[in-house]
Amino acid sequence: MVLLVITYLLFILILLLMVAFLVLLERKVLGLVQFRKGPNIVGIYGIVQTIVDGVKLILKNLMVLMNGRKFFFLLAPILSFILSLINWFFIPTPFILVNSKFGILITLVISSLLVYSTLWAGWKSNNIYSLI
């Protein structure tokens, strides 16, 4: 049981690191295409830029709407992030994290549930155009 939890946590860590390096690659390509100083010039091989962006995202001030629905305001991004991470467990890979014959079907179901977090994020703002 402990080995299974460690495997899942290791998989999530590798997945998050992969996303960070894909962001770094995207910034390097955009910096080269636009002829500007990108992360390939600023910092140590650009790794500092991705770390600073992650820290900035974590330390941003939380803005809570006065007349909005606070429960959905806090739940929508958390639900979206958790469902996106869970979705990776059911994608068929060479090493099996979850042994299921219906991996692709479960992936489609979880992807369809991600729509609700997007709807809640718009609905919580009490804007008349939120559900268009």
Side-chain angles (χ1 to χ4, degrees), residues 79-131:
L79 181 69
S80 178
F81 179 71
I82 289 173
L83 285 176
S84 297
L85 281 179
I86 290 173
N87 206 5
W88 280 94
F89 286 113
F90 293 102
I91 294 176
T93 56
F95 56 96
I96 298 172
L97 289 174
V98 176
N99 193 4
S100 174
K101 293 188 285 188
F102 304 108
I104 296 174
L105 182 65
I106 294 172
T107 300
L108 290 173
V109 168
I110 292 173
S111 297
S112 66
L113 289 176
L114 283 168
V115 173
Y116 291 111
S117 64
T118 306
L119 283 174
W120 286 350
W123 182 47
K124 55 97 182 149
S125 65
N126 272 346
N127 192 347
I128 59 173
Y129 302 109
S130 64
L131 295 178

CSV table of all heavy atoms in Angstrom, one decimal, residues 79-131:
chain,number,residue,atom,x,y,z
A,79,LEU,N,-10.9,21.8,-8.3
A,79,LEU,CA,-11.5,20.6,-9.0
A,79,LEU,C,-10.9,20.4,-10.3
A,79,LEU,O,-10.6,19.3,-10.7
A,79,LEU,CB,-13.0,20.8,-9.1
A,79,LEU,CG,-13.8,19.7,-9.8
A,79,LEU,CD1,-13.8,18.5,-8.9
A,79,LEU,CD2,-15.2,20.2,-10.1
A,80,SER,N,-10.6,21.5,-11.0
A,80,SER,CA,-10.0,21.4,-12.4
A,80,SER,C,-8.6,20.8,-12.3
A,80,SER,O,-8.2,19.9,-13.1
A,80,SER,CB,-10.0,22.8,-13.0
A,80,SER,OG,-9.3,22.7,-14.2
A,81,PHE,N,-7.8,21.2,-11.3
A,81,PHE,CA,-6.5,20.7,-11.1
A,81,PHE,C,-6.5,19.2,-10.7
A,81,PHE,O,-5.7,18.4,-11.3
A,81,PHE,CB,-5.7,21.5,-10.1
A,81,PHE,CG,-4.3,21.1,-9.9
A,81,PHE,CD1,-3.3,21.3,-10.8
A,81,PHE,CD2,-4.0,20.4,-8.7
A,81,PHE,CE1,-2.0,20.8,-10.6
A,81,PHE,CE2,-2.7,20.0,-8.5
A,81,PHE,CZ,-1.7,20.2,-9.4
A,82,ILE,N,-7.3,18.9,-9.8
A,82,ILE,CA,-7.4,17.5,-9.3
A,82,ILE,C,-7.9,16.5,-10.4
A,82,ILE,O,-7.3,15.4,-10.6
A,82,ILE,CB,-8.3,17.4,-8.0
A,82,ILE,CG1,-7.5,18.0,-6.9
A,82,ILE,CG2,-8.6,15.9,-7.7
A,82,ILE,CD1,-8.3,18.1,-5.6
A,83,LEU,N,-8.9,16.9,-11.1
A,83,LEU,CA,-9.4,16.1,-12.2
A,83,LEU,C,-8.4,15.9,-13.3
A,83,LEU,O,-8.3,14.9,-13.9
A,83,LEU,CB,-10.7,16.6,-12.8
A,83,LEU,CG,-12.0,16.4,-11.9
A,83,LEU,CD1,-13.2,17.1,-12.5
A,83,LEU,CD2,-12.2,15.0,-11.7
A,84,SER,N,-7.6,17.0,-13.6
A,84,SER,CA,-6.6,16.9,-14.6
A,84,SER,C,-5.5,15.9,-14.2
A,84,SER,O,-5.0,15.1,-15.1
A,84,SER,CB,-6.0,18.2,-14.9
A,84,SER,OG,-7.0,19.1,-15.4
A,85,LEU,N,-5.1,15.9,-12.9
A,85,LEU,CA,-4.1,15.0,-12.5
A,85,LEU,C,-4.7,13.5,-12.5
A,85,LEU,O,-3.9,12.6,-12.8
A,85,LEU,CB,-3.6,15.4,-11.1
A,85,LEU,CG,-2.6,16.5,-11.0
A,85,LEU,CD1,-2.3,16.8,-9.6
A,85,LEU,CD2,-1.4,16.2,-11.8
A,86,ILE,N,-5.9,13.4,-12.0
A,86,ILE,CA,-6.5,12.0,-12.0
A,86,ILE,C,-6.6,11.5,-13.4
A,86,ILE,O,-6.4,10.3,-13.7
A,86,ILE,CB,-7.9,12.0,-11.3
A,86,ILE,CG1,-7.7,12.3,-9.8
A,86,ILE,CG2,-8.6,10.8,-11.5
A,86,ILE,CD1,-9.0,12.5,-9.1
A,87,ASN,N,-6.9,12.3,-14.4
A,87,ASN,CA,-7.0,11.9,-15.8
A,87,ASN,C,-5.7,11.2,-16.3
A,87,ASN,O,-5.8,10.3,-17.1
A,87,ASN,CB,-7.4,13.1,-16.6
A,87,ASN,CG,-8.1,12.8,-17.9
A,87,ASN,OD1,-8.5,11.6,-18.1
A,87,ASN,ND2,-8.4,13.7,-18.7
A,88,TRP,N,-4.6,11.6,-15.8
A,88,TRP,CA,-3.3,11.1,-16.3
A,88,TRP,C,-3.1,9.6,-15.8
A,88,TRP,O,-2.4,8.9,-16.4
A,88,TRP,CB,-2.1,11.9,-15.8
A,88,TRP,CG,-1.9,13.1,-16.7
A,88,TRP,CD1,-2.4,14.3,-16.5
A,88,TRP,CD2,-1.2,13.1,-17.9
A,88,TRP,NE1,-2.0,15.2,-17.5
A,88,TRP,CE2,-1.2,14.4,-18.4
A,88,TRP,CE3,-0.5,12.2,-18.6
A,88,TRP,CZ2,-0.6,14.9,-19.5
A,88,TRP,CZ3,0.2,12.6,-19.8
A,88,TRP,CH2,0.1,13.9,-20.2
A,89,PHE,N,-3.8,9.2,-14.7
A,89,PHE,CA,-3.6,7.9,-14.2
A,89,PHE,C,-4.3,6.8,-15.1
A,89,PHE,O,-3.9,5.7,-15.1
A,89,PHE,CB,-4.2,7.8,-12.8
A,89,PHE,CG,-3.3,8.4,-11.7
A,89,PHE,CD1,-3.8,9.5,-11.1
A,89,PHE,CD2,-2.1,7.9,-11.4
A,89,PHE,CE1,-3.0,10.2,-10.1
A,89,PHE,CE2,-1.3,8.5,-10.5
A,89,PHE,CZ,-1.7,9.7,-9.8
A,90,PHE,N,-5.3,7.2,-15.8
A,90,PHE,CA,-6.0,6.3,-16.6
A,90,PHE,C,-5.6,6.2,-18.1
A,90,PHE,O,-6.2,5.4,-18.8
A,90,PHE,CB,-7.5,6.5,-16.5
A,90,PHE,CG,-8.1,6.3,-15.1
A,90,PHE,CD1,-8.3,7.3,-14.2
A,90,PHE,CD2,-8.3,5.0,-14.7
A,90,PHE,CE1,-8.8,7.1,-13.0
A,90,PHE,CE2,-8.8,4.8,-13.4
A,90,PHE,CZ,-9.0,5.8,-12.5
A,91,ILE,N,-4.7,7.1,-18.5
A,91,ILE,CA,-4.2,7.0,-19.8
A,91,ILE,C,-3.3,5.8,-20.0
A,91,ILE,O,-2.4,5.6,-19.2
A,91,ILE,CB,-3.5,8.3,-20.2
A,91,ILE,CG1,-4.5,9.5,-20.2
A,91,ILE,CG2,-2.8,8.2,-21.5
A,91,ILE,CD1,-3.8,10.8,-20.4
A,92,PRO,N,-3.6,5.0,-21.0
A,92,PRO,CA,-2.8,3.8,-21.2
A,92,PRO,C,-1.3,4.1,-21.4
A,92,PRO,O,-1.0,4.9,-22.3
A,92,PRO,CB,-3.4,3.1,-22.4
A,92,PRO,CG,-4.7,3.7,-22.5
A,92,PRO,CD,-4.7,5.0,-21.9
A,93,THR,N,-0.4,3.6,-20.6
A,93,THR,CA,1.0,3.8,-20.7
A,93,THR,C,1.7,2.4,-20.7
A,93,THR,O,1.1,1.4,-20.3
A,93,THR,CB,1.6,4.7,-19.6
A,93,THR,OG1,1.2,4.1,-18.3
A,93,THR,CG2,1.0,6.1,-19.7
A,94,PRO,N,3.0,2.4,-21.0
A,94,PRO,CA,3.8,1.1,-20.9
A,94,PRO,C,3.8,0.6,-19.5
A,94,PRO,O,3.7,-0.6,-19.3
A,94,PRO,CB,5.2,1.4,-21.4
A,94,PRO,CG,5.0,2.6,-22.3
A,94,PRO,CD,3.8,3.4,-21.7
A,95,PHE,N,3.9,1.4,-18.5
A,95,PHE,CA,3.9,0.9,-17.1
A,95,PHE,C,2.5,1.3,-16.6
A,95,PHE,O,1.9,2.4,-16.8
A,95,PHE,CB,4.9,1.6,-16.2
A,95,PHE,CG,4.9,3.1,-16.2
A,95,PHE,CD1,4.3,3.7,-15.2
A,95,PHE,CD2,5.6,3.8,-17.2
A,95,PHE,CE1,4.2,5.1,-15.2
A,95,PHE,CE2,5.5,5.2,-17.2
A,95,PHE,CZ,4.9,5.8,-16.2
A,96,ILE,N,1.8,0.3,-16.0
A,96,ILE,CA,0.4,0.4,-15.6
A,96,ILE,C,0.3,1.0,-14.2
A,96,ILE,O,0.8,0.4,-13.3
A,96,ILE,CB,-0.3,-1.0,-15.7
A,96,ILE,CG1,-0.2,-1.5,-17.1
A,96,ILE,CG2,-1.7,-0.9,-15.2
A,96,ILE,CD1,-0.7,-2.9,-17.3
A,97,LEU,N,-0.4,2.2,-14.1
A,97,LEU,CA,-0.6,2.7,-12.8
A,97,LEU,C,-2.0,2.2,-12.3
A,97,LEU,O,-2.1,1.9,-11.1
A,97,LEU,CB,-0.7,4.3,-12.9
A,97,LEU,CG,0.7,4.9,-13.1
A,97,LEU,CD1,0.5,6.4,-13.4
A,97,LEU,CD2,1.6,4.7,-12.0
A,98,VAL,N,-3.0,2.2,-13.1
A,98,VAL,CA,-4.3,1.7,-12.7
A,98,VAL,C,-4.7,0.6,-13.7
A,98,VAL,O,-4.7,0.8,-14.9
A,98,VAL,CB,-5.3,2.8,-12.7
A,98,VAL,CG1,-6.7,2.2,-12.4
A,98,VAL,CG2,-4.9,3.9,-11.7
A,99,ASN,N,-4.9,-0.6,-13.2
A,99,ASN,CA,-5.2,-1.7,-14.1
A,99,ASN,C,-6.7,-1.7,-14.4
A,99,ASN,O,-7.5,-2.1,-13.6
A,99,ASN,CB,-4.8,-3.0,-13.4
A,99,ASN,CG,-4.8,-4.2,-14.4
A,99,ASN,OD1,-5.1,-4.0,-15.6
A,99,ASN,ND2,-4.6,-5.4,-13.9
A,100,SER,N,-7.0,-1.2,-15.6
A,100,SER,CA,-8.4,-1.1,-16.0
A,100,SER,C,-8.6,-1.3,-17.4
A,100,SER,O,-7.8,-0.9,-18.2
A,100,SER,CB,-9.0,0.3,-15.6
A,100,SER,OG,-10.3,0.5,-16.1
A,101,LYS,N,-9.6,-2.1,-17.8
A,101,LYS,CA,-9.9,-2.4,-19.2
A,101,LYS,C,-10.5,-1.1,-19.9
A,101,LYS,O,-10.5,-1.0,-21.1
A,101,LYS,CB,-10.8,-3.6,-19.4
A,101,LYS,CG,-10.2,-4.9,-18.9
A,101,LYS,CD,-11.1,-6.0,-19.3
A,101,LYS,CE,-12.2,-6.1,-18.3
A,101,LYS,NZ,-13.1,-7.3,-18.5
A,102,PHE,N,-11.1,-0.3,-19.0
A,102,PHE,CA,-11.8,0.9,-19.6
A,102,PHE,C,-11.0,2.2,-19.4
A,102,PHE,O,-11.6,3.2,-19.1
A,102,PHE,CB,-13.2,1.0,-18.9
A,102,PHE,CG,-14.0,-0.3,-19.0
A,102,PHE,CD1,-14.1,-1.1,-17.8
A,102,PHE,CD2,-14.5,-0.7,-20.1
A,102,PHE,CE1,-14.9,-2.2,-17.9
A,102,PHE,CE2,-15.3,-1.8,-20.2
A,102,PHE,CZ,-15.5,-2.6,-19.1
A,103,GLY,N,-9.7,2.2,-19.6
A,103,GLY,CA,-8.9,3.3,-19.4
A,103,GLY,C,-9.3,4.5,-20.2
A,103,GLY,O,-9.4,5.6,-19.8
A,104,ILE,N,-9.5,4.3,-21.5
A,104,ILE,CA,-9.8,5.3,-22.4
A,104,ILE,C,-11.2,5.9,-22.1
A,104,ILE,O,-11.5,7.1,-22.1
A,104,ILE,CB,-9.7,4.9,-23.9
A,104,ILE,CG1,-8.3,4.5,-24.2
A,104,ILE,CG2,-10.2,5.9,-24.8
A,104,ILE,CD1,-8.0,3.9,-25.5
A,105,LEU,N,-12.2,5.0,-21.8
A,105,LEU,CA,-13.5,5.4,-21.4
A,105,LEU,C,-13.5,6.3,-20.1
A,105,LEU,O,-14.2,7.3,-20.1
A,105,LEU,CB,-14.4,4.2,-21.2
A,105,LEU,CG,-15.9,4.5,-20.9
A,105,LEU,CD1,-16.5,5.3,-22.1
A,105,LEU,CD2,-16.6,3.3,-20.6
A,106,ILE,N,-12.7,5.9,-19.2
A,106,ILE,CA,-12.6,6.7,-17.9
A,106,ILE,C,-12.0,8.0,-18.2
A,106,ILE,O,-12.4,9.0,-17.6
A,106,ILE,CB,-11.9,5.9,-16.8
A,106,ILE,CG1,-12.7,4.6,-16.4
A,106,ILE,CG2,-11.6,6.7,-15.6
A,106,ILE,CD1,-12.0,3.7,-15.5
A,107,THR,N,-11.0,8.0,-19.1
A,107,THR,CA,-10.3,9.3,-19.4
A,107,THR,C,-11.4,10.2,-20.1
A,107,THR,O,-11.4,11.4,-19.8
A,107,THR,CB,-9.2,9.0,-20.4
A,107,THR,OG1,-8.2,8.2,-19.8
A,107,THR,CG2,-8.5,10.3,-20.8
A,108,LEU,N,-12.2,9.7,-20.9
A,108,LEU,CA,-13.3,10.6,-21.6
A,108,LEU,C,-14.3,11.1,-20.5
A,108,LEU,O,-14.7,12.2,-20.6
A,108,LEU,CB,-14.0,9.8,-22.7
A,108,LEU,CG,-13.1,9.5,-23.9
A,108,LEU,CD1,-13.9,8.6,-24.9
A,108,LEU,CD2,-12.8,10.8,-24.6
A,109,VAL,N,-14.6,10.2,-19.6
A,109,VAL,CA,-15.6,10.6,-18.5
A,109,VAL,C,-15.0,11.7,-17.7
A,109,VAL,O,-15.7,12.7,-17.4
A,109,VAL,CB,-16.0,9.4,-17.7
A,109,VAL,CG1,-16.7,9.8,-16.4
A,109,VAL,CG2,-16.8,8.5,-18.5
A,110,ILE,N,-13.7,11.6,-17.3
A,110,ILE,CA,-13.1,12.6,-16.4
A,110,ILE,C,-12.9,13.9,-17.2
A,110,ILE,O,-13.1,15.0,-16.7
A,110,ILE,CB,-11.8,12.1,-15.9
A,110,ILE,CG1,-12.0,11.0,-14.9
A,110,ILE,CG2,-11.0,13.2,-15.2
A,110,ILE,CD1,-10.8,10.3,-14.4
A,111,SER,N,-12.6,13.8,-18.5
A,111,SER,CA,-12.5,15.0,-19.3
A,111,SER,C,-13.8,15.7,-19.5
A,111,SER,O,-13.9,16.9,-19.5
A,111,SER,CB,-12.0,14.6,-20.7
A,111,SER,OG,-10.7,14.1,-20.6
A,112,SER,N,-14.9,14.9,-19.5
A,112,SER,CA,-16.2,15.6,-19.6
A,112,SER,C,-16.6,16.2,-18.3
A,112,SER,O,-17.4,17.2,-18.2
A,112,SER,CB,-17.3,14.6,-20.0
A,112,SER,OG,-17.5,13.6,-19.1
A,113,LEU,N,-16.1,15.7,-17.2
A,113,LEU,CA,-16.4,16.4,-15.9
A,113,LEU,C,-15.6,17.7,-15.7
A,113,LEU,O,-16.0,18.5,-14.9
A,113,LEU,CB,-16.0,15.4,-14.7
A,113,LEU,CG,-16.9,14.2,-14.5
A,113,LEU,CD1,-16.3,13.3,-13.4
A,113,LEU,CD2,-18.3,14.7,-14.2
A,114,LEU,N,-14.5,17.9,-16.5
A,114,LEU,CA,-13.8,19.1,-16.4
A,114,LEU,C,-14.6,20.3,-16.9
A,114,LEU,O,-14.3,21.5,-16.5
A,114,LEU,CB,-12.5,19.0,-17.2
A,114,LEU,CG,-11.4,18.2,-16.5
A,114,LEU,CD1,-10.3,17.9,-17.5
A,114,LEU,CD2,-10.8,19.0,-15.4
A,115,VAL,N,-15.6,20.1,-17.7
A,115,VAL,CA,-16.5,21.1,-18.2
A,115,VAL,C,-17.2,21.8,-17.0
A,115,VAL,O,-17.4,23.0,-17.0
A,115,VAL,CB,-17.5,20.6,-19.2
A,115,VAL,CG1,-18.5,21.6,-19.6
A,115,VAL,CG2,-16.8,20.0,-20.4
A,116,TYR,N,-17.6,21.0,-16.0
A,116,TYR,CA,-18.3,21.6,-14.9
A,116,TYR,C,-17.4,22.6,-14.1
A,116,TYR,O,-17.9,23.6,-13.6
A,116,TYR,CB,-18.8,20.5,-13.9
A,116,TYR,CG,-19.9,19.7,-14.6
A,116,TYR,CD1,-19.7,18.4,-14.9
A,116,TYR,CD2,-21.1,20.3,-14.9
A,116,TYR,CE1,-20.7,17.7,-15.5
A,116,TYR,CE2,-22.1,19.6,-15.5
A,116,TYR,CZ,-21.9,18.3,-15.8
A,116,TYR,OH,-22.9,17.6,-16.4
A,117,SER,N,-16.1,22.3,-13.9
A,117,SER,CA,-15.3,23.3,-13.2
A,117,SER,C,-15.2,24.6,-14.0
A,117,SER,O,-15.1,25.7,-13.4
A,117,SER,CB,-13.9,22.7,-13.0
A,117,SER,OG,-13.3,22.5,-14.2
A,118,THR,N,-15.2,24.5,-15.4
A,118,THR,CA,-15.2,25.7,-16.2
A,118,THR,C,-16.5,26.5,-16.0
A,118,THR,O,-16.5,27.7,-15.9
A,118,THR,CB,-14.9,25.4,-17.6
A,118,THR,OG1,-13.7,24.6,-17.7
A,118,THR,CG2,-14.8,26.6,-18.5
A,119,LEU,N,-17.6,25.8,-16.0
A,119,LEU,CA,-18.9,26.4,-15.9
A,119,LEU,C,-19.0,27.1,-14.5
A,119,LEU,O,-19.5,28.2,-14.3
A,119,LEU,CB,-20.0,25.4,-16.0
A,119,LEU,CG,-20.3,25.0,-17.5
A,119,LEU,CD1,-21.4,23.9,-17.5
A,119,LEU,CD2,-20.8,26.2,-18.3
A,120,TRP,N,-18.5,26.4,-13.5
A,120,TRP,CA,-18.6,27.0,-12.1
A,120,TRP,C,-17.7,28.2,-12.0
A,120,TRP,O,-18.0,29.2,-11.3
A,120,TRP,CB,-18.1,26.0,-11.1
A,120,TRP,CG,-19.1,24.9,-10.8
A,120,TRP,CD1,-20.4,24.9,-11.2
A,120,TRP,CD2,-18.9,23.7,-10.0
A,120,TRP,NE1,-21.1,23.7,-10.8
A,120,TRP,CE2,-20.2,23.0,-10.1
A,120,TRP,CE3,-17.9,23.2,-9.4
A,120,TRP,CZ2,-20.3,21.8,-9.4
A,120,TRP,CZ3,-18.0,22.0,-8.7
A,120,TRP,CH2,-19.2,21.3,-8.7
A,121,ALA,N,-16.5,28.2,-12.7
A,121,ALA,CA,-15.7,29.4,-12.6
A,121,ALA,C,-16.3,30.6,-13.3
A,121,ALA,O,-16.2,31.7,-12.8
A,121,ALA,CB,-14.3,29.0,-13.4
A,122,GLY,N,-17.1,30.4,-14.3
A,122,GLY,CA,-17.8,31.5,-14.9
A,122,GLY,C,-19.1,31.9,-14.1
A,122,GLY,O,-19.4,33.1,-14.0
A,123,TRP,N,-19.7,30.9,-13.5
A,123,TRP,CA,-21.0,31.2,-12.8
A,123,TRP,C,-20.7,31.9,-11.5
A,123,TRP,O,-21.5,32.7,-11.0
A,123,TRP,CB,-21.7,29.8,-12.6
A,123,TRP,CG,-23.0,29.9,-11.9
A,123,TRP,CD1,-24.0,30.8,-12.2
A,123,TRP,CD2,-23.4,29.1,-10.8
A,123,TRP,NE1,-25.1,30.6,-11.3
A,123,TRP,CE2,-24.7,29.5,-10.5
A,123,TRP,CE3,-22.8,28.1,-10.1
A,123,TRP,CZ2,-25.5,28.9,-9.4
A,123,TRP,CZ3,-23.6,27.5,-9.1
A,123,TRP,CH2,-24.9,27.9,-8.8
A,124,LYS,N,-19.6,31.6,-10.9
A,124,LYS,CA,-19.3,32.2,-9.6
A,124,LYS,C,-19.1,33.7,-9.6
A,124,LYS,O,-19.2,34.4,-8.6
A,124,LYS,CB,-18.1,31.6,-8.9
A,124,LYS,CG,-16.9,31.6,-9.8
A,124,LYS,CD,-15.9,32.7,-9.4
A,124,LYS,CE,-14.7,32.7,-10.4
A,124,LYS,NZ,-14.2,34.0,-10.6
A,125,SER,N,-18.9,34.3,-10.8
A,125,SER,CA,-18.6,35.7,-10.9
A,125,SER,C,-19.9,36.6,-10.9
A,125,SER,O,-19.8,37.8,-10.9
A,125,SER,CB,-17.8,36.0,-12.2
A,125,SER,OG,-18.6,35.7,-13.3
A,126,ASN,N,-21.1,36.0,-11.0
A,126,ASN,CA,-22.3,36.7,-11.1
A,126,ASN,C,-22.4,37.7,-12.2
A,126,ASN,O,-23.0,38.7,-12.1
A,126,ASN,CB,-22.6,37.4,-9.7
A,126,ASN,CG,-23.3,36.6,-8.7
A,126,ASN,OD1,-23.8,35.5,-9.1
A,126,ASN,ND2,-23.3,37.0,-7.5
A,127,ASN,N,-21.8,37.3,-13.3
A,127,ASN,CA,-21.8,38.1,-14.5
A,127,ASN,C,-22.9,37.6,-15.4
A,127,ASN,O,-23.2,36.4,-15.5
A,127,ASN,CB,-20.4,38.0,-15.2
A,127,ASN,CG,-20.3,39.0,-16.3
A,127,ASN,OD1,-21.2,39.7,-16.7
A,127,ASN,ND2,-19.1,39.1,-16.8
A,128,ILE,N,-23.6,38.5,-16.2
A,128,ILE,CA,-24.7,38.1,-17.0
A,128,ILE,C,-24.2,37.3,-18.2
A,128,ILE,O,-25.0,36.6,-18.8
A,128,ILE,CB,-25.6,39.3,-17.5
A,128,ILE,CG1,-24.7,40.3,-18.2
A,128,ILE,CG2,-26.2,39.9,-16.3
A,128,ILE,CD1,-25.5,41.4,-18.9
A,129,TYR,N,-22.9,37.4,-18.6
A,129,TYR,CA,-22.4,36.7,-19.7
A,129,TYR,C,-21.6,35.5,-19.3
A,129,TYR,O,-20.8,34.9,-20.1
A,129,TYR,CB,-21.5,37.6,-20.5
A,129,TYR,CG,-22.2,38.8,-21.0
A,129,TYR,CD1,-21.9,40.1,-20.5
A,129,TYR,CD2,-23.1,38.7,-22.0
A,129,TYR,CE1,-22.5,41.2,-20.9
A,129,TYR,CE2,-23.8,39.9,-22.4
A,129,TYR,CZ,-23.5,41.1,-21.9
A,129,TYR,OH,-24.1,42.2,-22.4
A,130,SER,N,-21.7,35.0,-18.1
A,130,SER,CA,-20.8,34.0,-17.6
A,130,SER,C,-21.1,32.6,-18.2
A,130,SER,O,-20.1,31.8,-18.3
A,130,SER,CB,-20.9,33.9,-16.1
A,130,SER,OG,-22.2,33.5,-15.7
A,131,LEU,N,-22.3,32.3,-18.6
A,131,LEU,CA,-22.6,31.0,-19.1
A,131,LEU,C,-22.7,30.9,-20.6
A,131,LEU,O,-23.3,30.0,-21.2
A,131,LEU,CB,-23.8,30.4,-18.4
A,131,LEU,CG,-23.6,30.1,-17.0
A,131,LEU,CD1,-24.9,29.6,-16.3
A,131,LEU,CD2,-22.5,29.2,-16.7
